[in-house]
Amino acid sequence: MDMQGSGFPAADSTAVQHVRLAGGGTVAASAAAPAPVAAPHRDDLLIGEVIDIAGSASRILLDATTLAKLANSPDPALAMAGQVGAQVKVRVGNVWLLASIRDQQLHDGGQGLIVASIDFLGEGDEEKITGRIHNFRRGVTRYPIPGSQVYAATNADLKQIYAADERAHVEIGTVYPTRDIRGSLYVDAMLGKHFALLGSTGTGKSTSAALILHRICELAPQGHIVMVDPHGEYSAAFKGTGALFDVDNLAMPYWLMNFEEHCEVFVTSEGRDRQGDCDVLAKCLLQARMKNRLAEGMTKITVDSPIPYLLSDLLSILTNEMGKLDKATSSAPFMRIKGKIEEMRADPRYNFMFSGMLVADTMANFIGKIFRLPSDGRPISIIDVSGVPSDITGVVVAVLSRLTFDYAIWSRGEPQRPILLVCEEAHRYIPAKDVGQGQAVRKILERIAKEGRKYGVSLGLITQRPSDLAEGVLSQCGTIISMRLNNERDQHFVKAAMPEGSRGFIDSIPALRNRECIVCGEGVSIPIRIHLDTLEEDKRPASGDPLFSKLWRETGGEAEMVERIVKRWRSQGR
């Protein structure tokens, strides 16, 4: 058969014949009329034919002998030709379709033949002179017909396909299985429609999050990023480029809480009593806010208005209301709320929020320092909530999240300053169950997931248990970065949230190595498997696992160490 030297037949072929593959299969080939330029798609890259077309997923027939020959190729893309997760290409007219192999099985009809399911990823035009693929885009305009030839994608093809275009992007690693093709994330598309970073413990999730945020900070040194850090890991990673806040310097005023958050903190009763207690708190809280001189010129004051008030004023109003003879309830709700307020005011663990020093109107300063307005070369705020008492951690995150969203709403008409809110351990704050405590933070994060992009608020969720996330939140994330997930329930949950065309990639999630991830969605042109870059030592989070074999050989100084620990424990200081 005349293959024009080593070239692929030209588009104006006139006759069709079948080439017998090893093992008895056939692949359709066109005998072409002479063309002035031969496109350099070699005959030895012909690995099979299309046998079934069905929308995004189709099936192809592969020749095992040809794949075995390619397995020794120095080109890493050709070396894994035909394997699950590898790319193949099919020509339709002057366009090349790129597809990913999802699964494989032996063909019943002959030895050495493999049937594989493929997902079409996109298409690119062919340059007439060089034969290279360019102008690659997601989606398929024309489908091939059964009998169309299937070729192995080369490293050069993948370079054209995965090459980042002129849009703003950050490089985070190397495309698998190549050694020199850089994997990039398109920042505007990724942040504009939210993103999620998923991965089981120990897969390098924290380091990957730090890597992506470092790259974004380098691209946008005047950015506005707020990261909620529940374990105190990220302060070490961003000590040079971020503003670090913990219980010692956060100084979050209690009066910034809205009514629902006040109820979560001050109302301890359950069931039927809870609504009565909340009604009492609403009436007294509104009166306390009205006493501030800031409220004098305002016509619309509600229990949610962020107007400073004194805790002592709230306590005295509760006492006055309790003493009234015409009150609708007994004194019990007043006593419960008073007792809780006095308890929190006296507890030094809550000083970062309920200190008597936090009554002044510091709202503008607080928003400026948390949201990095201006950035002052430190575009990211790390909010370390590891020292916050667990019973109000959810409320603290709720206040930060709601301030982010409310700021974006009330700043319309001003120069836009989009904000990225990153939530580590997101399943804590947006749990699948919608009962119990912590509903304020769940509601605001769900609202940001659904409406945030309209106002310039982007949400980044980091979690090791995606199946514990509220249903629907993950599907609001336009870009999903998945590292290895060991739990089968988590894998199914992620599979359901991924776009149809990336199913072949998802099947390899349990087999990913550490520091490898699958990225699909808005932030990339097509689904991509990336081996992440090694982050510099001083930019890594403090999340290393203890080495039992090494540390259990060391001894000495334990008595003094225990004394110091007990002292810190008792004083609640770190």
Side-chain angles (χ1 to χ4, degrees), residues 228 396-406 421 423 441 444-445 448:
V228 179
V396 171
V397 178
V399 172
L400 291 168
S401 307
R402 186 177 49 76
L403 286 177
T404 307
F405 191 67
D406 286 353
L421 176 66
C423 262
V441 65
I444 185 59
L445 287 175
I448 290 174

Side-chain angles (χ1 to χ4, degrees), residues 11-71:
D12 58 347
S13 304
T14 53
V16 175
Q17 57 183 317
H18 282 77
V19 178
R20 178 132 331 244
L21 289 171
T26 61
V27 67
S30 304
V37 178
H41 287 99
R42 309 192 310 267
D43 186 28
D44 59 345
L45 302 185
L46 178 64
I47 58 174
E49 67 179 357
V50 176
I51 57 173
D52 182 23
I53 290 290
S56 62
S58 303
R59 290 191 304 156
I60 58 176
L61 189 67
L62 300 173
D63 174 35
T65 307
T66 309
L67 298 181
K69 288 177 185 172
L70 291 174

Side-chain angles (χ1 to χ4, degrees), residues 286 289-290 294-296 298-305 307:
L286 181 59
R289 290 200 194 275
M290 296 282 283
L294 286 172
E296 287 172 7
M298 298 182 187
T299 52
K300 291 183 182 177
I301 299 293
T302 70
V303 283
D304 290 331
S305 301
I307 292 174

Side-chain angles (χ1 to χ4, degrees), residues 134-156:
H134 70 107
N135 189 26
F136 187 83
R137 60 259 177 203
R138 195 186 297 180
V140 176
T141 326
R142 292 169 58 191
Y143 285 98
I145 58 172
S148 299
Q149 295 174 328
V150 175
Y151 284 79
T154 66
N155 202 72

